[in-house]
Amino acid sequence: MATEIIVVTSGKGGVGKTTTSASLATGLAMAGKRVAVIDFDVGLRNLDLIMGCERRVVYDFVNVVHGESTLKQSLIRDKRYENLYVLAASQTRDKDALNAEGVEKVLDDLAADGFEYVVCDSPAGIEKGAHLAMYFADQAVVVVNPEVSSVRDSDRILGLLASKTRRAERGQDPVRQHLLLTRYNPQRVAIGEMLSVKDVEEILGIDVIGVIPESANVLTASNNGIPVIVDAQSQAGQAYSDTVARILGEERPLRFIDAPRKGFLQRVFGG
């Protein structure tokens, strides 16, 4: 198969993009795919922390783009899955350190090396790194919290994905867009504090490919350098596994989107 480039993006920060990039890349590797995940967030660099390989970063994405290291020197093989590799961002350069020619060469070299999927962890918003992350994409996973401000900011990103990509410039089929709802709390949806899955789909006009429930497991996993998808006991891990299956073409019903029904005694006594 041709290499599939997936950008994980959002309109605002703090919605769970890097957590999502790590779990999607790991999930694709768990499914037997050869995967590279790249951190485009130059200056911040936290993908390697969530992947648990921060102490093994010698060369980074910017080094490769500027010819200061080879791709082979810079890719870090995951210790859990030998078909999964991480390309970390630079902590010491500024956001203008990336350029389109260099990024394209890295992606072409990954394709030539037999990578089936490249997951691009984008910075938030519409700055240069975010534009380069989405420009070469075949698919986009737009990460949204079920809140009005997050949804509004994502609408801008969807517009850019439709018009400011290589596919758009070449008149090819558009980037396939998916919504991923994170930090979803069915109880808060039920009392009107959060938007529902249906609300978000109707506002943005594209389908949800996954719903990740609000969960303490996500933070715990990130702090331990383990993508939460590896935790098969957690609802968040299971929801990410479902999302990866859908990306690979499998049909799975959405889970964890309904508030648990109260038992008889709770209803009677208002528990």
Side-chain angles (χ1 to χ4, degrees):
M1 63 171 278
T3 303
E4 192 79 1
I5 299 170
I6 302 176
V7 64
V8 178
T9 184
S10 74
K12 62 183 289 188
V15 295
K17 269 188 316 302
T18 301
T19 294
T20 295
S21 298
S23 280
L24 295 187
T26 302
L28 289 165
M30 290 163 77
K33 307 299 182 185
R34 184 168 161 83
V35 185
V37 56
I38 304 176
D39 191 345
F40 275 76
D41 207 350
V42 175
L44 289 178
R45 200 180 105 184
N46 55 9
L47 176 67
D48 52 303
L49 293 170
I50 291 179
M51 295 295 293
C53 63
E54 71 278 6
R55 293 180 182 174
R56 296 162 58 209
V57 176
V58 179
Y59 296 107
D60 57 53
F61 187 22
V62 172
N63 293 139
V64 186
V65 165
H66 287 268
E68 297 158 357
S69 65
T70 65
L71 186 58
K72 190 171 183 181
Q73 286 174 318
S74 309
L75 284 171
I76 301 166
R77 178 183 270 182
D78 186 79
K79 288 189 171 177
R80 290 168 290 256
Y81 304 99
E82 62 177 19
N83 50 331
L84 174 61
Y85 292 79
V86 179
L87 186 53
S90 171
Q91 274 184 308
T92 56
R93 307 289 183 96
D94 65 26
K95 296 188 184 299
D96 291 324
L98 297 178
N99 59 70
E101 297 76 23
V103 170
E104 184 173 25
K105 185 176 187 310
V106 169
L107 295 173
D108 287 347
D109 288 349
L110 289 169
D113 200 17
F115 281 89
E116 295 165 274
Y117 285 90
V118 179
V119 177
C120 302
D121 181 26
S122 171
I126 54 174
E127 42 135 281
K128 185 176 182 181
H131 177 256
L132 285 172
M134 75 170 66
Y135 181 74
F136 298 99
D138 300 304
Q139 297 187 52
V141 175
V142 182
V143 183
V144 188
N145 290 160
E147 298 159 359
V148 171
S149 61
S150 177
V151 171
R152 186 185 296 129
D153 287 340
S154 295
D155 196 38
R156 287 191 310 162
I157 296 297
L158 294 173
L160 293 172
L161 285 164
S163 61
K164 301 291 186 184
T165 64
R166 181 167 63 175
R167 283 179 164 272
E169 288 178 5
R170 291 178 174 178
Q172 296 173 316
D173 290 339
V175 174
R176 297 195 301 287
Q177 301 175 1
H178 316 288
L179 287 179
L180 183 78
L181 273 178
T182 53
R183 304 201 180 124
Y184 196 79
N185 185 320
Q187 287 92 336
R188 292 182 65 191
V189 172
I191 60 175
E193 287 185 357
M194 274 187 175
L195 299 171
S196 69
V197 173
K198 190 176 178 187
D199 290 335
V200 177
E201 286 183 330
E202 286 181 353
I203 293 167
L204 294 177
I206 60 173
D207 292 336
V208 163
I209 198 166
V211 178
I212 313 301
E214 200 166 42
S215 169
N217 297 95
V218 173
L219 184 59
T220 303
S222 296
N223 287 341
N224 291 332
I226 303 168
V228 72
I229 196 170
V230 176
D231 180 5
Q233 302 305 309
S234 73
Q235 289 189 351
Q238 293 169 39
Y240 273 120
S241 293
D242 288 347
T243 303
V244 170
R246 293 185 198 106
I247 287 173
L248 292 171
E250 200 178 310
E251 287 192 21
R252 290 195 183 182
L254 291 174
R255 297 192 276 171
F256 318 119
I257 60 172
D258 297 315
R261 296 187 62 166
K262 290 184 177 181
F264 174 74
L265 291 176
Q266 283 180 303
R267 292 200 301 274
V268 169
F269 294 107

